[in-house]
Amino acid sequence: MHTIFVMIKCELGQTYKAAALIADQVDEAAEVYSTSGGYDLLAKFHLDKAQDIGRFVTERVQTLPGIKDTYTITTFSAF
Amino acid sequence: MHTIFVMIKCELGQTYKAAALIADQVDEAAEVYSTSGGYDLLAKFHLDKAQDIGRFVTERVQTLPGIKDTYTITTFSAF
Amino acid sequence: MHTIFVMIKCELGQTYKAAALIADQVDEAAEVYSTSGGYDLLAKFHLDKAQDIGRFVTERVQTLPGIKDTYTITTFSAF
Amino acid sequence: MHTIFVMIKCELGQTYKAAALIADQVDEAAEVYSTSGGYDLLAKFHLDKAQDIGRFVTERVQTLPGIKDTYTITTFSAF
Amino acid sequence: MHTIFVMIKCELGQTYKAAALIADQVDEAAEVYSTSGGYDLLAKFHLDKAQDIGRFVTERVQTLPGIKDTYTITTFSAF
Amino acid sequence: MHTIFVMIKCELGQTYKAAALIADQVDEAAEVYSTSGGYDLLAKFHLDKAQDIGRFVTERVQTLPGIKDTYTITTFSAF
Amino acid sequence: MHTIFVMIKCELGQTYKAAALIADQVDEAAEVYSTSGGYDLLAKFHLDKAQDIGRFVTERVQTLPGIKDTYTITTFSAF
Amino acid sequence: MHTIFVMIKCELGQTYKAAALIADQVDEAAEVYSTSGGYDLLAKFHLDKAQDIGRFVTERVQTLPGIKDTYTITTFSAF
Amino acid sequence: MHTIFVMIKCELGQTYKAAALIADQVDEAAEVYSTSGGYDLLAKFHLDKAQDIGRFVTERVQTLPGIKDTYTITTFSAF
Amino acid sequence: MHTIFVMIKCELGQTYKAAALIADQVDEAAEVYSTSGGYDLLAKFHLDKAQDIGRFVTERVQTLPGIKDTYTITTFSAF
């Protein structure tokens, strides 16, 4: 399993709808939080080793309504 | 009670209308200031412990007319 | 008297028209310069102690045609 | 009265000592918060109209032990 | 419970020692990852409602050897 | 005459000493202000057409005690 | 041969179509990767010594559908 | 003579047309280069001492088709 | 195999020594380039699926003499 | 011939000594200017096609006394 984090900026007022869509429709979503700072959401996804992270983020996350920008953080080791 | 600060960037010329809307229509607003720098307003809100800060900012503040961007600062301890 | 500086970014090609408008129509304008760097203009304004700096910048400067963004610097002490 | 906000970055591990010093030794301190984000503290000060904000920040705040950097926001109008 | 994320920049070559210290000595640590990008670690902590997040980050995390800078993200809602 | 502006960042607590040095020892100084934001001072200098602006800033301003960084803005036209 | 890298930001959801276009239609493309971070793609191109890098990037890469911004890195020496 | 440099960001795919326009229609253009990095062009202009640099950049360069943003660097001394 | 890119900032004048060290002593190094821009080197590494990318970068790359800062880009898919 | 530009940040007060060193001791230097903005110098170098740009910048420019940081811009086409 790969664990990745995606910081997400949403259209004004659309953050909670976008978060609900991620939680409901994206099976790989492990945790979705609304957050402080300049991004609106921080989402954690568990992907199969065989899954393409880039395709997942750009085609399954970026295409949800209300999402404006994403920044992807990959993780290497869990302590 | 949670105290949070939100720095707000407004549409050109809409800052004081947006500030008045926050002061008049948002009960949680404790203080709203126009400020120097690149943001136009700095607002302080007192939320109940039970309130969801993210929902409050994205659905009650970001949706007011004239607001273009927000940056949320949460506080942890008051001295 | 309060002295403030406002760095101004203009629409492409509109800088000198915007500068002339500030110089002609804004009585508080003490100096307006076109400048090097990423901003197009640097304007110095003298406001009465009783004037609201935020209202002045957002309603009298930001609303002039050709202005795209402003950054306000307040001064505290003159040597 | 002038209300100003100062965002403060502290030496590693020194934030709460610095916050206590501000709260205890700086009479103008109205509120001091530890915060989320890249800065460690957000302090609100009430200064007399006659006080020099720049001298206050650079000589009374910046000189406290544990403080590494400051960013000053002045307020113009309270709603 | 409060869930927070802290992005951590470490001294050159000290990242895995710092990560091990967090995992071993900080009971509140739920997950610690080494990551891509400009920060070296992303740590997730679960704090009691009664715990002070700012004191926790600045006195229990920032003071571990090998840590150079931190950026704190608080979460509001989990979907 | 050339009019230039220099934004100046000072060592912690040294801003007013540096400002006084500029005002007292630099004949070309027309105005020196302490300011809001991330820089501590904004200085305006009038130089003779024959003077070298770069030499002036780097050898007469940057070398004063207490100054840590400078950012030079040249002006082209005064309205 | 010149080796250059181009970091590419794509329209939301268009990253893999853009990557396929680069791989299929741009003969100079040696490697195209989807990546972590704020850019979506990192492409490596081998150009003839006689080719104009700027014309290549701005007329053959920037004009492909789905591409929003590019940042070009040239290489000097390979170890 | 004044020598200035202007870094220019162009609309996608328009860089070489914009460069040709500068070279052909702007007499003051001494050199125009396509470049690496985030800007597309770097242009060097020689202006008469009597020419207004700001008016030149904003009315003769920014108004050419295909140009999106400019950043002006003035020079003080040539070694 | 995992392909990663690391952008590397070196101590002044140490770039080519650092590049030679990477090429000579780091078996996973596939390509090392000196580059334009603010970073000095761009290195491509091929790691085994079983290797920990974070440990590799922070313990095998960051610890080489002459290296000051690193920024890691992971790749997901090669076209 | 390759034409490159290097933006140079110098130690406080050392800009003109560094510029003189470049002009006197670096044969490839075609033009060196002191400049406005956050960098102190902009230097243009003409290198032989056979010269390694990276080695030139990091070993012949970065190693001159008084230089603190460099940013290299390569050019592709001259109009």
Side-chain angles (χ1 to χ4, degrees):
Chain A
M1 293 287 266
H2 275 301
T3 301
I4 67 166
F5 289 87
V6 182
M7 299 196 290
I8 300 169
K9 181 95 178 166
C10 297
E11 304 291 340
L12 290 174
Q14 301 303 307
T15 294
Y16 275 57
K17 284 182 206 155
L21 282 174
I22 296 172
D24 290 350
Q25 301 185 2
V26 182
D27 287 348
E28 295 86 343
E31 302 169 26
V32 184
Y33 300 96
S34 53
T35 60
S36 63
Y39 284 92
D40 299 302
L41 296 174
L42 176 63
K44 183 171 93 172
F45 300 100
H46 291 310
L47 306 191
D48 288 339
K49 283 280 177 199
Q51 263 184 295
D52 177 341
I53 296 172
R55 182 178 292 277
F56 172 77
V57 173
T58 61
E59 305 202 341
R60 306 256 319 275
V61 178
Q62 286 184 356
T63 51
L64 294 171
I67 289 182
K68 203 162 69 179
D69 198 14
T70 63
Y71 184 100
T72 303
I73 297 169
T74 50
T75 68
F76 307 132
S77 190
F79 297 84
Chain B
M1 293 286 266
H2 275 301
T3 300
I4 66 166
F5 289 88
V6 182
M7 300 196 290
I8 300 170
K9 181 95 177 166
C10 297
E11 303 292 339
L12 290 173
Q14 302 303 306
T15 294
Y16 274 57
K17 284 182 207 155
L21 282 173
I22 296 172
D24 290 351
Q25 301 185 2
V26 182
D27 288 347
E28 294 86 343
E31 302 169 26
V32 184
Y33 301 96
S34 52
T35 60
S36 64
Y39 285 92
D40 299 302
L41 296 174
L42 176 63
K44 183 171 93 172
F45 301 100
H46 290 310
L47 306 191
D48 287 340
K49 283 280 177 199
Q51 263 183 295
D52 178 341
I53 296 172
R55 183 179 292 277
F56 172 77
V57 173
T58 61
E59 305 201 340
R60 306 254 320 275
V61 179
Q62 286 185 354
T63 51
L64 292 172
I67 289 182
K68 203 162 70 179
D69 199 14
T70 62
Y71 184 100
T72 303
I73 297 170
T74 50
T75 68
F76 307 132
S77 190
F79 297 84
Chain C
M1 292 286 266
H2 275 302
T3 300
I4 67 166
F5 289 88
V6 183
M7 299 196 291
I8 300 170
K9 181 96 178 165
C10 296
E11 303 292 340
L12 290 173
Q14 301 304 306
T15 295
Y16 274 57
K17 284 182 206 155
L21 283 174
I22 296 171
D24 290 351
Q25 300 185 1
V26 182
D27 288 347
E28 294 86 343
E31 302 169 27
V32 185
Y33 301 96
S34 53
T35 60
S36 63
Y39 284 93
D40 299 302
L41 296 174
L42 176 63
K44 183 171 93 172
F45 300 99
H46 291 311
L47 306 190
D48 287 340
K49 284 280 178 200
Q51 263 183 295
D52 178 341
I53 296 172
R55 183 178 291 277
F56 172 76
V57 172
T58 61
E59 305 202 339
R60 306 253 323 272
V61 179
Q62 286 185 355
T63 52
L64 293 171
I67 288 181
K68 203 162 69 178
D69 199 13
T70 63
Y71 185 99
T72 303
I73 298 169
T74 50
T75 69
F76 307 132
S77 190
F79 297 83
Chain D
M1 293 287 267
H2 275 302
T3 300
I4 67 168
F5 289 87
V6 182
M7 299 196 291
I8 300 170
K9 181 94 177 168
C10 296
E11 303 291 340
L12 290 173
Q14 302 303 306
T15 294
Y16 274 58
K17 284 182 205 155
L21 283 174
I22 296 171
D24 291 349
Q25 301 185 2
V26 182
D27 287 349
E28 293 87 344
E31 301 168 26
V32 185
Y33 301 95
S34 53
T35 60
S36 63
Y39 284 93
D40 299 301
L41 296 174
L42 177 63
K44 182 170 94 172
F45 300 101
H46 291 311
L47 305 191
D48 287 340
K49 282 280 178 199
Q51 264 184 294
D52 177 341
I53 296 172
R55 181 179 293 278
F56 172 76
V57 173
T58 60
E59 304 202 340
R60 306 256 320 276
V61 178
Q62 285 186 355
T63 51
L64 293 171
I67 288 181
K68 203 162 68 178
D69 199 13
T70 63
Y71 185 99
T72 303
I73 297 168
T74 51
T75 68
F76 307 133
S77 189
F79 297 83
Chain E
M1 293 287 265
H2 275 301
T3 300
I4 67 167
F5 289 87
V6 183
M7 299 197 290
I8 300 170
K9 181 94 177 168
C10 296
E11 303 291 340
L12 289 173
Q14 302 304 305
T15 294
Y16 275 57
K17 285 183 203 152
L21 282 174
I22 296 171
D24 290 351
Q25 300 185 2
V26 181
D27 288 348
E28 293 87 344
E31 301 168 27
V32 185
Y33 301 95
S34 53
T35 60
S36 63
Y39 284 93
D40 299 300
L41 296 173
L42 176 63
K44 182 171 92 171
F45 300 100
H46 291 311
L47 306 192
D48 288 340
K49 283 280 179 200
Q51 262 183 295
D52 177 341
I53 296 172
R55 182 180 292 278
F56 172 77
V57 172
T58 60
E59 305 202 339
R60 305 255 321 274
V61 178
Q62 286 185 355
T63 52
L64 293 171
I67 288 181
K68 205 163 67 179
D69 199 14
T70 63
Y71 185 99
T72 303
I73 297 168
T74 51
T75 68
F76 306 133
S77 189
F79 296 83
Chain F
M1 293 287 267
H2 274 303
T3 299
I4 67 167
F5 289 87
V6 182
M7 300 196 290
I8 299 170
K9 182 93 176 168
C10 297
E11 303 292 340
L12 290 173
Q14 303 302 307
T15 294
Y16 275 58
K17 284 183 204 155
L21 282 173
I22 295 171
D24 291 349
Q25 300 185 3
V26 182
D27 288 348
E28 293 86 345
E31 301 169 27
V32 184
Y33 300 95
S34 52
T35 61
S36 64
Y39 284 93
D40 300 300
L41 296 174
L42 176 63
K44 183 171 94 171
F45 300 101
H46 291 311
L47 304 192
D48 288 339
K49 282 280 177 199
Q51 263 184 295
D52 177 341
I53 295 172
R55 182 179 292 277
F56 173 76
V57 172
T58 61
E59 305 201 341
R60 305 253 325 272
V61 179
Q62 285 185 355
T63 51
L64 293 172
I67 288 181
K68 203 163 69 180
D69 199 13
T70 63
Y71 185 98
T72 302
I73 297 169
T74 51
T75 68
F76 307 133
S77 190
F79 297 82
Chain G
M1 293 287 268
H2 275 302
T3 300
I4 67 165
F5 289 88
V6 183
M7 299 196 291
I8 300 169
K9 182 95 179 167
C10 296
E11 303 292 339
L12 290 173
Q14 301 304 306
T15 295
Y16 274 57
K17 284 182 206 154
L21 283 174
I22 296 172
D24 290 349
Q25 301 185 0
V26 182
D27 287 347
E28 293 86 343
E31 302 169 25
V32 184
Y33 301 96
S34 54
T35 61
S36 63
Y39 284 92
D40 299 301
L41 296 174
L42 177 63
K44 183 171 93 172
F45 300 100
H46 291 310
L47 306 191
D48 288 339
K49 284 278 178 202
Q51 263 184 294
D52 177 341
I53 296 172
R55 183 179 292 276
F56 172 77
V57 172
T58 60
E59 305 201 340
R60 305 252 325 272
V61 178
Q62 286 185 356
T63 51
L64 294 171
I67 289 182
K68 203 162 68 177
D69 198 14
T70 64
Y71 184 100
T72 303
I73 298 170
T74 51
T75 69
F76 307 133
S77 188
F79 298 83
Chain H
M1 293 287 267
H2 275 302
T3 300
I4 67 166
F5 289 88
V6 182
M7 299 197 290
I8 300 170
K9 182 95 178 167
C10 296
E11 303 293 339
L12 289 173
Q14 302 303 306
T15 295
Y16 275 57
K17 284 182 208 155
L21 283 174
I22 295 172
D24 291 350
Q25 300 185 2
V26 182
D27 287 346
E28 294 86 344
E31 302 169 26
V32 184
Y33 301 96
S34 53
T35 61
S36 63
Y39 284 93
D40 299 301
L41 296 174
L42 177 63
K44 183 172 93 173
F45 300 100
H46 291 310
L47 306 191
D48 288 339
K49 283 278 177 201
Q51 263 184 295
D52 177 341
I53 295 172
R55 183 179 291 276
F56 172 77
V57 172
T58 60
E59 305 202 340
R60 305 251 327 271
V61 178
Q62 286 185 354
T63 51
L64 294 171
I67 289 181
K68 203 162 68 178
D69 198 15
T70 62
Y71 185 99
T72 303
I73 298 170
T74 51
T75 69
F76 307 134
S77 189
F79 296 84
Chain I
M1 292 286 266
H2 275 302
T3 299
I4 67 166
F5 289 88
V6 182
M7 299 197 291
I8 300 170
K9 181 95 177 167
C10 296
E11 303 291 340
L12 289 173
Q14 302 303 305
T15 294
Y16 275 57
K17 285 182 205 154
L21 282 173
I22 296 171
D24 290 350
Q25 300 185 2
V26 182
D27 287 348
E28 292 87 344
E31 301 169 27
V32 184
Y33 301 95
S34 53
T35 60
S36 64
Y39 284 92
D40 300 301
L41 296 173
L42 176 63
K44 183 171 91 171
F45 300 101
H46 291 311
L47 306 191
D48 287 339
K49 283 280 178 200
Q51 263 184 295
D52 177 340
I53 295 172
R55 182 179 293 277
F56 172 77
V57 172
T58 60
E59 305 202 339
R60 305 253 322 274
V61 178
Q62 285 185 356
T63 52
L64 293 172
I67 288 181
K68 204 162 68 179
D69 200 12
T70 63
Y71 185 99
T72 302
I73 298 169
T74 51
T75 68
F76 307 134
S77 190
F79 296 83
Chain J
M1 293 287 267
H2 275 302
T3 299
I4 67 167
F5 288 87
V6 183
M7 300 196 291
I8 300 170
K9 181 94 177 167
C10 297
E11 302 292 340
L12 289 173
Q14 302 302 307
T15 294
Y16 275 57
K17 285 183 203 154
L21 282 173
I22 296 171
D24 290 351
Q25 301 185 3
V26 182
D27 287 349
E28 293 87 345
E31 300 169 28
V32 185
Y33 301 95
S34 52
T35 60
S36 64
Y39 284 92
D40 299 301
L41 296 173
L42 176 63
K44 182 171 93 172
F45 300 100
H46 291 311
L47 305 192
D48 287 340
K49 283 280 178 199
Q51 262 184 296
D52 177 341
I53 295 172
R55 183 179 293 277
F56 172 77
V57 172
T58 60
E59 305 202 340
R60 305 253 323 274
V61 177
Q62 285 186 356
T63 52
L64 293 172
I67 289 181
K68 203 161 69 179
D69 199 13
T70 63
Y71 185 98
T72 302
I73 298 169
T74 50
T75 68
F76 306 134
S77 190
F79 297 83

